[in-house]
Amino acid sequence: MLKAVILIGGPQKGTRFRPLSFEVPKPLFPVAGVPMLQHHIEACSKVPNLKEILLIGYYQPNEALSRFLVTAQQEFKVAIRYLQEFSALGTGGGIYHFRDQILSGGPQAFFVMNADVCCAFPLLQMLEFQKKHEETHRYIMLGTTANRTQSLNYGCIVAKADTQEVLHYVEKPGTFVSDIINCGIYLFSPSIFEHIAEVFKRNQQDLQLEENSSWQRTEVIRLEQDIFTALAGRGQLYVYKTDGFWSQIKSAGSAIYASRLYLDQYHVTHPERLAHNKAGAPVILGNVYVHPTANVDPTAVVSISL
């Protein structure tokens, strides 16, 4: 049995989306015609034996999120729950805080995905990669290539050429390290929590040495800096490199670029979502999505360009 965790962040994480994020939480912002999260959920629903999707974040439960969860469960026939953090716990702290919920039912492995990424979600390929090397490949991260300048904005992976074992990992380095970057999508076996527990205990010990420190700091754990950096070179962390499209969605502008990437795939994945040229209707240039409620002047020309 498998599960998936999607890290959706919280209100202060969507500041680069303002003013658009005032109207709708960033994870529900429409990308290529559907909420950003829906692309992740749809990909998870296609993985055999994936029984539950857990959203972890620190948004207050609201009507828009609740309505989306109900609709998505009905459409994709998979259990989806929202688990609310009491504060921002980091990419590792959130899954550690809710480890009992993740491990409930005894999953053999679980995916962890950042909500603000756009890609082809090669989840089945990552599973196959792990199964081929079950004894060693406990933890898989999705990677892709970037140019030297772009790589400085992401986590950089130095991997062994023949096995793809991660030998070195640096989050947003100051100088060039590698052109392989972290895509923010992972496949973990449950033993990952043993490594996160080590960081949690170390945080507790450090806290005892400091005066006037908040106990909440012990739970703030970052997968990238605290876990991957330590696991690199120990024969347990591997990278699956994808040639498919990938992008981060950090701002409203990058959401437009992500929309274009998804729209380019719709010919194969969702042709019904693409607008088509018809007599007496607007002229459609390229891959375009028109919302059913939109009223477009029949003399208009509609296209997406950057």
Side-chain angles (χ1 to χ4, degrees):
M1 190 261 278
L2 302 168
K3 290 192 180 186
V5 176
I6 305 175
L7 305 175
I8 68 171
Q12 61 259 50
K13 290 291 184 182
T15 52
R16 280 182 277 183
F17 252 71
R18 291 177 181 171
L20 300 175
S21 57
F22 288 137
E23 296 293 322
V24 63
K26 180 184 170 184
L28 299 185
F29 189 81
V31 175
V34 299
M36 191 187 301
L37 270 180
Q38 185 165 322
H39 296 284
H40 299 62
I41 291 171
E42 181 176 352
C44 290
S45 72
K46 294 176 181 177
V47 176
N49 211 27
L50 195 149
K51 300 297 186 185
E52 186 176 43
I53 300 170
L54 301 172
L55 311 183
I56 296 179
Y58 48 99
Y59 286 97
Q60 289 293 327
N62 57 72
E63 185 182 344
L65 185 57
S66 299
R67 190 167 56 245
F68 169 76
L69 293 182
V70 170
T71 304
Q73 285 188 98
Q74 291 172 345
E75 181 173 352
F76 298 108
K77 307 293 187 290
V78 62
I80 308 172
R81 288 191 292 145
Y82 174 51
L83 304 176
Q84 185 189 358
E85 299 168 299
F86 55 85
S87 66
L89 297 178
T91 50
I95 64 172
Y96 187 68
H97 184 78
F98 291 110
R99 60 193 179 280
D100 290 344
Q101 304 267 22
I102 295 170
L103 297 177
S104 174
Q108 291 92 3
F110 61 97
F111 291 99
V112 174
M113 297 182 261
N114 289 321
D116 59 356
V117 297
C118 146
C119 75
F121 297 105
L123 306 184
L124 294 173
Q125 293 92 321
M126 290 175 73
L127 267 175
E128 188 61 31
F129 181 64
Q130 187 189 52
K131 284 178 181 175
K132 278 184 182 174
H133 313 277
E134 284 184 290
E135 307 243 333
T136 54
H137 291 40
R138 293 183 182 179
Y139 319 122
I140 311 293
M141 57 199 312
L142 184 66
T144 192
T145 54
N147 64 42
R148 292 175 70 95
T149 304
Q150 288 174 333
S151 69
L152 303 181
N153 298 316
Y154 304 99
C156 292
I157 303 162
V158 177
K160 205 170 180 180
D162 54 347
T163 63
Q164 301 308 316
E165 179 196 346
V166 176
L167 301 175
H168 187 51
Y169 181 85
V170 186
E171 184 67 18
K172 296 179 182 174
T175 57
F176 178 74
V177 171
S178 169
D179 62 352
I180 308 172
I181 61 169
N182 176 7
C183 292
I185 298 175
Y186 317 112
L187 176 60
F188 295 145
S189 67
S191 59
I192 191 68
F193 290 118
E194 297 169 15
H195 301 284
I196 302 177
E198 290 176 12
V199 176
F200 180 76
K201 289 170 188 171
R202 191 164 63 243
N203 287 352
Q204 282 183 315
Q205 291 166 356
D206 292 345
L207 200 66
Q208 289 170 358
L209 301 174
E210 298 179 22
E211 294 182 11
N212 304 318
S213 292
S214 168
W215 63 269
Q216 291 181 353
R217 275 181 49 199
T218 61
E219 288 206 66
V220 177
I221 300 169
R222 304 159 301 175
L223 284 174
E224 301 80 8
Q225 293 95 327
D226 298 324
I227 306 300
F228 297 154
T229 302
L231 282 176
R234 291 169 60 179
Q236 297 183 55
L237 181 64
Y238 290 77
V239 58
Y240 176 80
K241 288 191 283 188
T242 177
D243 295 326
F245 70 93
W246 179 86
S247 179
Q248 270 191 325
I249 309 176
K250 293 293 187 184
S251 64
S254 58
I256 295 173
Y257 178 67
S259 287
R260 191 181 75 174
L261 293 176
Y262 279 130
L263 287 168
D264 287 345
Q265 305 301 310
Y266 277 0
H267 283 294
V268 175
T269 59
H270 286 286
E272 77 283 357
R273 290 182 187 166
L274 291 174
H276 301 284
N277 284 301
K278 300 174 186 173
V283 175
I284 304 298
L285 299 179
N287 301 316
V288 171
Y289 171 85
V290 178
H291 195 275
T293 63
N295 187 9
V296 185
D297 189 283
T299 64
V301 176
V302 185
S303 70
I304 182 168
S305 61
L306 292 175

